[in-house]
Amino acid sequence: CSMGNSTSRLYSALAKTLSSSAVPQHQDCLEQPDSVQLDPIDPKDLLEECQVVLQKRPPRFQRDFVDLQKNTASYHRPIRVMQWNILAQALGEGKDNFVQCPMEALKWEERKCLILEEILAYKPDILCLQEVDHYFDTFEPLLSRLGYQCTFFPKPWSPCLDVEKNNGPDGCALFFLKDRFELINSANIRLTAMKLKTNQVAIAQTLKCNETGRLFCIAVTHLKARTGWERFRSAQGCDLLQNLKNITQGAKIPLIICGDFNAEPTEEVYREFSNSSLNLNSAYKLLSPDGQSEPPYTTWKIRPSGECRHTLDYIWYSQHALNVNSALGLLTEEQIGPNRLPSFNYPSDHLSLVCDFSFNQDPDRLL
């Protein structure tokens, strides 16, 4: 396909990440590495380039936003937050055993474009990702050129490193638009359980909204997986909550927490977040008729042990300081299809969650 002169430089940059077979050396430092300032890119141009790569794949699924604040006037632009476990490439190809997903559907050269297409379609102001193992060669170079400030915190003992020809460890990544927010404080948190440091991490950043001048904290995490680790997840959740209480000065600063908690709503760690003194609510409960029930699933896959359909992913928020204006509806069972996720249509075994938030108009209202 002819790319045209206007996008040839952009295509060259994207193609370089697509065709690179070399595994970059993992950067041990946890801070943002110094990088060469690259020219900004237009998200529409990048989306077009992704669609060229994906032209032989089925089109993206249609998902609609559900308006949750029909009668509330908003004086400022909402803050769009996206939460997504994107599926580490090394795990998808080497460990997760998606028995109904063809290996061809997991090719990184195309799957990365499906991930980027999803992000570009919803245009989040803040993006929280888990299982990122292509941060330095894909997400940081491209998203920084789209205007995002980027932070990555890898797991100390990532399971990706056990996979041959891996791309380094996976971890959590947090991105926010620099023209909308100013970074006030950033903390990389290695979660503890029973006073022991664990392999799970979190990033918490205090931002100032340039339009309103209001402070808020955004956090991203990924708790321990697997059945039998419920008490471990509970301990990790308690540690994260304590860290966030300190960062938010005892909930004086509004808070949004995104994560793959690897926990159903019946687990103790879910109850800890629901009952925390931070006064949190789960945004996706608001999609239910009574506003009290989580979605029936946020991940749906088939492994050798059978079909796995669970609600594990959440966006928590300070319910008296923030309003949820809208939330992105989930994929239906018909859209997902009998072979479940991931697939040629969708790049991850987890669904992305997207919410639009606004500040409560009474700045003196207690949390």
Side-chain angles (χ1 to χ4, degrees):
C1 298
S2 173
M3 307 311 300
N5 292 333
S6 63
T7 59
S8 59
R9 289 179 61 196
L10 171 60
Y11 180 73
S12 176
L14 179 60
K16 189 176 295 184
T17 70
L18 292 175
S19 62
S20 174
S21 59
V23 177
Q25 184 177 2
H26 168 54
Q27 302 202 24
D28 293 324
C29 60
L30 301 182
E31 298 302 321
Q32 178 73 25
D34 293 332
S35 57
V36 177
Q37 288 293 327
L38 300 174
D39 293 336
I41 54 178
D42 189 323
K44 292 181 181 178
D45 290 341
L46 182 56
L47 181 59
E48 288 178 4
E49 301 301 348
C50 288
Q51 290 168 345
V52 168
V53 175
L54 298 171
Q55 58 187 325
K56 294 183 179 179
R57 293 222 180 189
R60 286 185 65 256
F61 293 122
Q62 178 64 40
R63 299 169 65 184
D64 297 318
F65 280 90
V66 179
D67 187 1
L68 300 170
Q69 294 285 329
K70 292 182 175 61
N71 300 319
T72 302
S74 180
Y75 301 99
H76 302 284
R77 281 188 299 163
I79 298 171
R80 177 162 292 181
V81 177
M82 184 173 187
Q83 146 62 29
W84 199 11
N85 178 331
I86 62 171
L87 174 61
Q89 184 63 22
L91 301 184
E93 289 186 311
K95 275 183 173 281
D96 278 342
N97 297 317
F98 301 118
V99 293
Q100 295 296 102
C101 178
M103 287 300 293
E104 186 74 8
L106 296 173
K107 287 174 54 179
W108 180 242
E109 290 79 3
E110 295 178 7
R111 198 172 78 85
K112 69 159 67 170
C113 289
L114 276 178
I115 295 171
L116 290 168
E117 186 183 43
E118 181 91 347
I119 295 168
L120 291 164
Y122 299 121
K123 305 173 184 175
D125 301 302
I126 300 172
L127 174 63
C128 296
L129 302 180
Q130 300 86 37
E131 291 199 22
V132 179
D133 63 345
H134 276 271
Y135 175 82
F136 293 108
D137 65 350
T138 300
F139 294 104
E140 192 276 336
L142 288 173
L143 291 178
S144 64
R145 296 179 68 187
L146 292 170
Y148 289 91
Q149 182 155 328
C150 314
T151 305
F152 176 62
F153 193 17
K155 296 174 184 173
W157 311 300
S158 168
C160 293
L161 298 177
D162 297 332
V163 179
E164 188 177 0
K165 297 181 180 179
N166 67 77
N167 199 67
D170 75 302
C172 293
L174 198 159
F175 309 84
F176 66 84
L177 287 176
K178 292 185 288 186
D179 66 351
R180 288 216 64 186
F181 310 105
E182 176 187 348
L183 179 63
I184 304 300
N185 182 59
S186 183
N188 291 334
I189 304 167
R190 184 173 171 186
L191 298 176
T192 64
M194 298 82 168
K195 299 184 179 180
L196 298 175
K197 291 183 178 180
T198 72
N199 194 34
Q200 280 63 49
V201 300
I203 304 169
Q205 295 188 334
T206 302
L207 306 179
K208 183 173 79 171
C209 177
N210 293 333
E211 188 173 355
T212 65
R214 301 279 297 271
L215 294 180
F216 68 99
C217 178
I218 178 75
V220 55
T221 194
H222 189 185
L223 302 187
K224 173 66 181 170
R226 309 298 181 204
T227 302
W229 292 86
E230 291 81 5
R231 289 184 63 193
F232 197 83
R233 280 190 288 274
S234 176
Q236 289 182 325
C238 287
D239 182 52
L240 178 57
L241 286 169
Q242 185 57 54
N243 274 278
L244 293 175
K245 287 175 187 176
N246 295 335
I247 291 169
T248 61
Q249 303 169 27
K252 290 181 180 178
I253 298 173
L255 176 63
I256 300 171
I257 309 166
C258 296
D260 175 358
F261 280 61
N262 276 307
E264 291 273 12
T266 53
E267 275 199 32
E268 179 63 30
V269 67
Y270 182 94
R271 292 192 291 273
E272 287 163 355
F273 273 72
S274 296
N275 300 325
S276 166
S277 62
L278 294 171
N279 201 12
L280 302 170
N281 193 21
S282 175
Y284 264 72
K285 284 168 55 176
L286 302 180
L287 289 181
S288 65
D290 61 359
Q292 299 298 315
S293 305
E294 292 289 353
Y297 52 83
T298 61
T299 180
W300 202 340
K301 68 204 87 175
I302 301 176
R303 285 178 166 149
S305 57
E307 196 157 342
C308 306
R309 178 179 178 267
H310 299 292
T311 299
L312 306 178
D313 307 270
Y314 306 95
I315 300 178
W316 298 90
Y317 69 102
S318 299
Q319 57 185 328
H320 291 308
L322 297 165
N323 300 311
V324 184
N325 296 5
S326 61
L328 182 66
L330 301 176
L331 293 177
T332 65
E333 180 176 0
E334 182 181 8
Q335 286 176 311
I336 290 172
N339 293 331
R340 309 316 183 197
L341 304 173
S343 65
F344 282 108
N345 300 73
Y346 200 78
S348 176
D349 54 326
H350 290 252
L351 299 177
S352 62
L353 308 181
V354 185
C355 290
D356 289 337
F357 290 96
S358 61
F359 290 103
N360 187 291
Q361 295 307 311
D362 181 2
D364 296 321
R365 183 174 178 175
L366 295 176
L367 294 176

